[in-house]
Amino acid sequence: MDLVPVFARWLHFLAGVMWVGLLYYFNFVQVPALKAAGADGTAGGITKHVAPRALLYFRWSAVVTWVAGAALLGGNFVSAFTLAKGYAGIGVGAWLGTIMLFNVWFLIWPNQQKILGMKPATDDEKNKARRVALLTSRTNMMLSIPMLFFMAGGLTHKAAFGL
Amino acid sequence: MKNPLDSIWGTIISGVILTAILYLAVAKFLV
């Protein structure tokens, strides 16, 4: 048994569940909860104790998912990312995941740091950061739908998906 | 026009439409 693809696949699934699970938590639970909590003055508990922890696991599980996915692709990495014949399905999934990883580290995280007071920001900058962080998070949620479709086909089940 | 990403359902519907577009593009041009 070749252990690298076995453990890479397992880790890719474990970290991916955490990453996308937290992404759905933010969109389905935390955003509406903050809106309701803001109305009765209890948002502080979420922004101080919950959001920083959720973001910590969110951004690092994104990295682990990508690295484990790259290890799983192994020698197929270049073929996937260049959408070579026979690799386009998994390649599109890999590109969508890569765009999502970029969004986490270069758009969501820097803006969340301003929103949560980890970085100095004026009220105007915080309001702008809220909008960018929300739309980027929603973009990632939207991208996760085709990403998971193409990942589910992968290299092994692509025929079942007609790819 | 309202941004579909402002609502959860708009986001999900956009994701499903994007899936169909990408699937058709891959199946028609890249397989």
Side-chain angles (χ1 to χ4, degrees):
Chain A
M1 181 169 75
D2 188 352
L3 289 178
V4 172
V6 170
F7 280 97
R9 184 176 291 269
W10 188 19
L11 188 59
H12 188 57
F13 281 25
L14 283 171
V17 166
M18 180 175 258
W19 178 16
V20 177
L22 283 167
L23 174 69
Y24 290 174
Y25 157 77
F26 286 127
N27 281 283
F28 283 94
V29 180
Q30 190 175 289
V31 169
L34 273 173
K35 202 173 171 187
D40 65 12
T42 56
I46 299 171
T47 54
K48 187 177 175 188
H49 299 293
V50 179
R53 283 179 174 83
L55 282 165
L56 173 73
Y57 290 107
F58 176 67
R59 66 183 186 275
W60 285 110
S61 60
V63 172
V64 175
T65 305
W66 195 94
V67 171
L72 183 56
L73 281 172
N76 299 314
F77 184 90
V78 173
S79 299
F81 275 91
T82 54
L83 307 180
K85 197 167 177 57
Y87 293 87
I90 190 63
V92 169
W95 269 112
L96 290 170
T98 304
I99 293 165
M100 289 170 65
L101 175 70
F102 177 90
N103 286 344
V104 167
W105 278 91
F106 295 103
L107 289 167
I108 295 174
W109 174 231
N111 282 292
Q112 282 292 351
Q113 284 175 296
K114 288 182 193 168
I115 297 164
L116 297 173
M118 296 167 169
K119 257 189 197 171
T122 63
D123 285 348
D124 263 3
E125 287 170 332
K126 280 186 185 178
N127 282 334
K128 194 180 167 201
R130 274 190 198 96
R131 187 71 184 148
V132 174
L134 174 73
L135 286 180
T136 311
S137 185
R138 286 278 161 84
T139 300
N140 270 11
M141 186 178 150
M142 176 186 73
L143 294 179
S144 75
I145 294 171
M147 183 274 290
L148 287 171
F149 176 86
F150 288 104
M151 289 290 177
L155 278 172
T156 53
H157 289 67
K158 59 186 180 181
F161 284 67
L163 296 172
Chain B
M1 197 176 88
K2 204 180 159 197
N3 188 336
L5 300 186
D6 274 320
S7 79
I8 288 281
W9 278 111
T11 303
I12 292 169
I13 292 164
S14 300
V16 171
I17 292 169
L18 183 60
T19 305
I21 292 169
L22 287 172
Y23 178 78
L24 291 173
V26 169
K28 192 166 172 64
F29 300 112
L30 293 169
V31 171

